[in-house]
Amino acid sequence: MSAQHFRPPQREAPLAPPGDGGEVRATQRTVDRSGGRLLTGWGRTAPTGARVLRPRTREEAAAAVRACGARGSIARGLGRAYGDAAQNAGGTVVDTTGLDRVLAIDAVEGTVTCEAGVSLHRLMTVLLPLGWFVPVTPGTRYVTVGGAIGADIHGKNHHVSGSFTRHVRELELLTADGEVRTVPRGSELFDATAGGMGLTGLVLSATVDLLPVETSLMSVDTERLPDLDALLATLTATDDRYRYSVAWIDLLARGTAAGRAVLTRGDHAPRAALEGRGRAARAARREPLAFRPGQLPPAPRAVPNGLLRGATVGAFNRFWYHKAPRRRTGELQRLAAFFHPLDGLPHWNRVYGSAGFVQWQCVVPHEADDALRRVVRLLSRRSCPSFLAVLKRFGAGDPGWLSFPTEGWTLALDIPAALPGLGDFLDLLDEEIAVAGGRLYLAKDARMRPELLRTMYPRLDDFRALRAELDPRGVFTSDLARRLAL
């Protein structure tokens, strides 16, 4: 697939009004000729039109699914899937953000039961003052609980805690027959729904185990590493000492510096850490569990498509690498700065211009690290202008049939969609990953060839069979499902 197949939106609507927690819905929305709305993923590529319904009760949700028509329906939360997973051309999209109630909190045992449209931002706002934190968070807190289940999201702590659904005790699922089923962890339907991209039904609510914390600060170690070999060796030797770890990689560095990185690792700061002299410690002593993430003005609506070129991104990468300390330990950082730095800039996806961008994320087994090295070399030689490239170490795989994480190394990067020859180049990377026994992340995919899917996901046939039995009429479908024949 060549780059010109990524169709940018024709125009962008004003920002949607803030929802719970102040989040702005990450949806590029215009009215198409049929009266529906044009929707894209966070990458802002390939818009398609759909009728959007926003139920506020489970009865309204059931009615929306019943009225979906021949083109079916798919759930959509805050629109942070990068590709077309929450789009449904010519059909219905069920906006779940109206199902936004926190139903019960057990502050002794550490569980929360909430509706699927509640965001992780909202949960943090509600739970942190009680001394609890979400068990897994990705690089943005503006995802819904339903989306976290459908994509089986992972974070910087997968090597310790696994993916999000590992911490879900049970969920309520509205299936194609109109039945609301209570689905416990460990059942086949649960494992098909975990990472199933919304194709087994509409998640209505979930009960989630929480993580106890003493403060809303993180104790962070930062280290600058000269190349990819040093990064992999350091993570292999020391990663298990930290709950959270992530490395930013300079994919434009070449020669002996290829894959140089800034490694950031940490854990939730104990209350004793607030006795330090730093400004963060002094402020937190007054309210150790306060959660007040700051926010900059939104990114401008119109950004030139060619802004992120090799030269400009290369200059940024050099600055970012040398700005990092060679080694610093025990720095106190706010939660938002450690987990979600880009959330501070609303609509940061606009910086790629109207053509949008593609996020590509792979995982390869630890023993296939030579494939990871080849991919990094190819990206370096291609001068891919990516300033958001991160590498993490996954722990044991998760039980979801289409869950992305499996034990190994995961690399994620953003690439401007207008880059010439991008489609063919990414096809080459896909094949490298498939041959190495790896896979791509469906929640971020916008262009993968469907014939690679069975190689990457061994339980694909089981998923297709269960979906055919559960939903023979295709009530739940999406652009992603049609493109990859899920």
Side-chain angles (χ1 to χ4, degrees):
M1 175 185 254
S2 59
Q4 60 262 32
H5 286 106
F6 293 101
R7 269 192 307 126
Q10 299 302 306
R11 61 187 185 278
E12 188 173 317
L15 292 179
D20 288 325
E23 62 264 20
V24 176
R25 288 189 212 157
T27 305
Q28 310 305 324
R29 303 189 303 175
T30 59
V31 177
D32 69 11
R33 293 180 180 178
S34 66
R37 277 195 272 174
L38 287 178
L39 303 172
T40 74
W42 189 244
R44 304 177 73 229
T45 62
T48 57
R51 181 179 58 153
V52 178
L53 302 177
R54 187 171 184 260
R56 289 190 170 273
T57 66
R58 60 180 55 208
E59 291 78 18
E60 290 180 3
V65 170
R66 285 196 302 270
C68 67
R71 293 286 287 180
S73 64
I74 194 67
R76 183 183 180 95
L78 290 166
R80 291 299 178 112
Y82 284 78
D84 51 4
Q87 297 171 226
N88 185 21
T92 298
V93 167
V94 181
D95 179 348
T96 63
T97 59
L99 301 170
D100 59 357
R101 294 182 301 159
V102 176
L103 301 172
I105 299 172
D106 187 332
V108 175
E109 189 171 354
T111 64
V112 62
T113 300
C114 62
E115 292 182 320
V118 174
S119 70
L120 298 192
H121 176 98
R122 171 87 181 282
L123 288 183
M124 292 176 197
T125 303
V126 171
L127 295 170
L128 269 167
L130 304 176
W132 297 98
F133 190 64
V134 295
V136 171
T137 177
T140 175
R141 60 187 178 274
Y142 296 127
V143 296
T144 62
V145 169
I149 292 169
D152 201 10
I153 59 170
H154 57 271
K156 298 175 176 68
N157 60 339
H158 188 276
H159 62 291
V160 173
S161 302
S163 63
F164 188 85
T165 58
R166 195 179 294 186
H167 306 273
V168 175
R169 293 191 175 192
E170 65 179 25
L171 57 88
E172 286 187 306
L173 189 70
L174 173 64
T175 50
D177 56 9
E179 182 181 348
V180 175
R181 307 185 187 209
T182 299
V183 184
R185 182 169 56 205
S187 65
E188 281 201 341
L189 183 53
F190 186 98
D191 290 345
T193 301
M197 308 309 297
L199 298 174
T200 60
L202 181 68
V203 176
L204 296 173
S205 69
T207 298
V208 183
D209 291 322
L210 303 172
L211 178 71
V213 295
E214 296 181 11
T215 74
S216 59
L217 293 178
M218 303 296 296
S219 178
V220 181
D221 293 354
T222 304
E223 184 176 0
R224 205 165 67 193
L225 295 163
D227 55 44
L228 182 62
D229 285 343
L231 172 61
L232 298 186
T234 301
L235 283 171
T236 299
T238 66
D239 209 27
D240 291 340
R241 303 176 194 171
Y242 296 87
R243 183 181 295 274
Y244 302 99
S245 64
V246 65
W248 170 88
I249 294 186
D250 182 0
L251 290 176
L252 290 176
R254 295 188 177 186
T256 58
R260 65 184 179 182
V262 178
L263 176 60
T264 306
R265 296 172 289 181
D267 206 337
H268 297 274
R271 198 176 183 102
L274 305 187
E275 299 306 315
R277 296 183 178 181
R279 183 172 60 182
R282 289 195 301 271
R285 280 198 291 269
R286 294 189 295 272
E287 294 180 277
L289 289 166
F291 180 59
R292 300 189 188 93
Q295 198 170 78
L296 298 170
R301 294 182 182 281
V303 177
N305 282 329
L307 178 64
L308 298 183
R309 299 177 183 273
T312 55
V313 174
F316 171 85
N317 284 5
R318 288 190 294 274
F319 164 76
W320 195 255
Y321 178 77
H322 290 291
K323 170 181 174 289
R326 291 186 183 276
R327 183 167 178 81
R328 180 174 61 202
T329 60
E331 180 191 13
L332 293 180
Q333 292 184 8
R334 297 189 181 278
L335 283 169
F338 181 78
F339 288 110
H340 317 117
L342 288 174
D343 282 348
L345 179 65
H347 290 299
W348 63 263
N349 56 342
R350 292 174 180 164
V351 303
Y352 292 89
S354 61
F357 70 97
V358 176
Q359 178 152 125
W360 185 85
Q361 183 168 6
C362 71
V363 59
V364 295
H366 288 131
E367 61 272 17
D369 54 4
D370 282 347
L372 178 65
R373 290 181 174 88
R374 286 194 296 273
V375 165
V376 170
R377 285 197 297 269
L378 286 167
L379 289 164
S380 176
R381 291 170 188 165
R382 182 67 172 75
S383 296
C384 276
S386 177
F387 67 94
L388 293 175
V390 297
L391 184 137
K392 291 178 289 193
R393 182 170 168 263
F394 280 160
D398 300 289
W401 293 352
L402 297 186
S403 290
F404 167 67
T406 187
E407 192 165 9
W409 304 105
T410 179
L411 175 68
L413 58 144
D414 294 348
I415 311 173
L419 192 69
L422 177 60
D424 290 339
F425 178 67
L426 291 181
D427 284 347
L428 174 64
L429 298 189
D430 293 353
E431 290 166 6
E432 283 275 359
I433 297 306
V435 169
R439 61 181 60 157
L440 302 186
Y441 193 12
L442 297 181
K444 296 184 177 180
D445 178 60
R447 29 69 48 204
M448 178 172 54
R449 301 202 317 266
E451 58 266 28
L452 294 177
L453 204 60
R454 181 178 280 105
T455 301
M456 293 181 174
Y457 288 91
R459 299 297 301 270
L460 177 63
D461 287 342
D462 294 331
F463 178 82
R464 286 172 170 163
L466 184 142
R467 187 175 172 226
E469 179 182 348
L470 194 66
D471 184 8
R473 295 183 296 113
V475 170
F476 293 102
T477 190
S478 66
D479 291 355
L480 173 78
R482 283 187 285 266
R483 176 168 59 81
L484 295 179
L486 289 173

